[in-house]
Amino acid sequence: YAAYSQTSPCGVVVQNFNIAANGMAGFTSSTLNSTQPGFTYASTGVNTGFLERCAIPSGGSVYEIVSPTYQSFASQTTIGYGFELSGSVVVSNVIAYLQYVDNTNQINSVFMGSITPSYTGTGSNALATICQTFDISAVTGFTPGEAYRVILDFTAAQSSNNNQCIVFDNFRTTGTNS
C-alpha cells in the first residue's frame, strides 16, 4: 500500500468499504442513462468490501458515484482524488466533477477531467489505479478550506452477465471527512 502514503498527490484512502456495517459509507450511486440501479455494496468476506455494478447492459451505460462531503484544508492549492477499478468489466472512461456550494449558496459542479483508465492484467485480474489532482484556483467561488464532493461518471466498455462486474474501491482524497 505504498501508493497510498501521506505524500500521494491524490491523498490517503479515506474509504476502503471494508466495514460491512458502513455499507455504501455515505457514497451514493445511480445510472445516468437508464432506469437500472447504480453501484451497490458487496463483500467477499471479512474486511473485503467494495462497491460493484454487475450485469452491464449493452449500449454504453453510464454509472455515477457521488462521494460523501469532504473538507479541504485552508492551505490546499489542489484537490487530490483517486480510486481503484477492477473486475471483469472494463471502464472505458471516467468523467470527474468537483461539487461545492459557493458563497451565494448555489450548488456548483465543475468538470475536473476525463480519465481513460489504464488497466494492468485482464479479466478478473484487471486493475486500474487512478490518481488525479485539480487546481483549486481554476474554480470560481471555491476557496481552500471549503467542503466538496467528488462526482465520478463511469462508462462501461462492454455488456456483461450477472457474474461480470465493475468494482470500485479504495477511494482517496486530500480532504478530511466533513
Side-chain angles (χ1 to χ4, degrees):
Y1 287 101
Y4 309 130
S5 68
Q6 293 287 345
T7 59
S8 173
C10 51
V12 298
V13 173
V14 293
Q15 187 51 252
N16 63 13
F17 305 101
N18 287 347
I19 300 173
N22 290 345
M24 296 278 292
F27 285 74
T28 60
S29 183
S30 61
T31 303
L32 297 183
N33 61 346
S34 81
T35 58
Q36 299 212 354
F39 283 76
T40 57
Y41 176 78
S43 175
T44 58
V46 177
N47 296 325
T48 60
F50 47 87
L51 302 184
E52 72 177 0
R53 176 62 176 97
C54 300
I56 310 297
S58 60
S61 296
V62 179
Y63 302 97
E64 184 168 84
I65 291 178
V66 179
S67 78
T69 303
Y70 294 97
Q71 187 75 37
S72 63
F73 295 97
S75 61
Q76 276 185 261
T77 58
T78 61
I79 297 289
Y81 61 97
F83 50 90
E84 290 179 356
L85 294 171
S86 61
S88 54
V89 177
V90 172
V91 171
S92 61
N93 190 44
V94 180
I95 305 290
Y97 300 92
L98 177 74
Q99 186 179 68
Y100 66 98
V101 177
D102 67 19
N103 56 8
T104 65
N105 287 326
Q106 296 296 310
I107 297 174
N108 297 281
S109 294
V110 176
F111 174 78
M112 289 194 291
S114 177
I115 305 156
T116 301
S118 178
Y119 285 83
T120 59
T122 58
S124 61
N125 294 319
L127 175 68
T129 301
I130 310 298
C131 180
Q132 300 286 309
T133 59
F134 181 71
D135 187 356
I136 290 174
S137 68
V139 182
T140 303
F142 183 86
T143 56
E146 290 191 51
Y148 65 93
R149 290 182 178 174
V150 175
I151 300 172
L152 302 166
D153 293 344
F154 301 92
T155 301
Q158 67 206 49
S159 60
S160 67
N161 64 39
N162 287 338
N163 297 321
Q164 294 176 314
C165 307
I166 299 169
V167 174
F168 174 87
D169 203 2
N170 294 327
F171 181 77
R172 304 182 300 277
T173 190
T174 51
T176 60
N177 286 335
S178 179

